[in-house]
Amino acid sequence: MSTDAIVLLKEDHKEMRRLFKAFQDAEEGPAARRQKLVSQILEALTVHTYLENEVMYPEVRKLLPDLEDDILESYEEHHVADVLCAELFAMDADDERFNAKTTVLIENVLHHVEEEEQEWFPKVREALGRKQLQEIGERMVELRADAPRTPTDPKAIKKSLDAVTA
């Protein structure tokens, strides 16, 4: 398996798209199915944003100061997703706003993913090259096992607070 940071993040994006589609296919189905899918989405997003915020973004910010604005925008997009994730975590799938809130989360995340993959990742790959991206990816792999899995995990909450106070 590749440890290239961009490859790892794109694999996460692929899994999120799969989960998003599964949710959209189940939107009219049983609440229990939607609840389970949203739990999986929240876990995937919590882990992914944690790795980006703890490893990828700070490293790229340090090495490529020209991408500062892109990184700051990404932090803000993560913050919006964090708020939605926390709200969904506390909601029941029978809530009348559950599907709508999940749809807004999906739309925001897909916008963020598209920007990363189409605009940001190519710039980062060109500037850093394979060796540095593999080193960043290795740190992400190491952190993944201990990454928060829910929006209420203290490490995830700290990440959200850091985004507000940074």
Side-chain angles (χ1 to χ4, degrees), residues 39-48 50-51 89 143-156:
S39 292
Q40 292 172 328
I41 289 168
L42 296 179
E43 179 176 344
L45 285 172
T46 301
V47 171
H48 180 79
Y50 179 79
L51 295 175
F89 187 79
L143 262 177
R144 185 176 291 272
D146 294 326
R149 298 283 189 262
T150 66
T152 58
D153 182 295
K155 287 190 268 186

Side-chain angles (χ1 to χ4, degrees), residues 4-133:
D4 180 299
I6 290 174
V7 171
L8 295 173
L9 293 174
K10 282 185 169 183
E11 285 298 314
D12 284 355
H13 292 171
K14 185 175 171 183
E15 175 62 10
M16 282 184 262
R17 285 186 185 104
R18 185 191 68 75
L19 290 169
F20 293 165
K21 180 168 182 349
F23 175 83
Q24 290 163 337
D25 291 345
E27 246 180 302
E28 302 304 320
R33 174 81 176 128
R34 288 181 284 122
Q35 191 83 52
K36 181 178 180 186
L37 286 166
V38 168
S39 292
Q40 292 172 328
I41 289 168
L42 296 179
E43 179 176 344
L45 285 172
T46 301
V47 171
H48 180 79
T49 59
Y50 179 79
L51 295 175
E52 283 187 329
N53 288 349
E54 292 295 315
V55 181
M56 185 70 168
Y57 293 169
E59 194 64 26
V60 171
R61 192 175 189 185
K62 180 176 70 180
L63 296 171
L64 304 173
D66 289 351
L67 296 182
E68 175 86 6
D69 289 343
D70 293 321
I71 293 166
L72 292 173
E73 181 179 339
S74 290
Y75 279 133
E76 294 307 317
E77 288 171 347
H78 280 194
H79 177 64
V80 169
D82 289 343
V83 170
L84 291 167
C85 286
E87 291 174 357
L88 279 165
F89 187 79
M91 289 177 87
D92 187 73
D94 288 326
D95 188 295
E96 70 178 357
R97 295 175 305 131
F98 187 83
N99 284 6
K101 194 173 292 289
T102 303
T103 298
V104 170
L105 174 65
I106 289 170
E107 289 170 352
N108 276 283
V109 171
L110 289 175
H111 166 80
H112 173 75
V113 164
E114 189 71 21
E115 278 187 345
E116 277 190 342
E117 291 185 357
Q118 300 304 315
E119 299 170 26
W120 199 68
F121 287 170
K123 293 176 192 174
V124 172
R125 179 167 300 291
E126 183 179 331
L128 295 186
R130 171 175 243 144
K131 185 176 187 303
Q132 283 181 299
L133 286 169

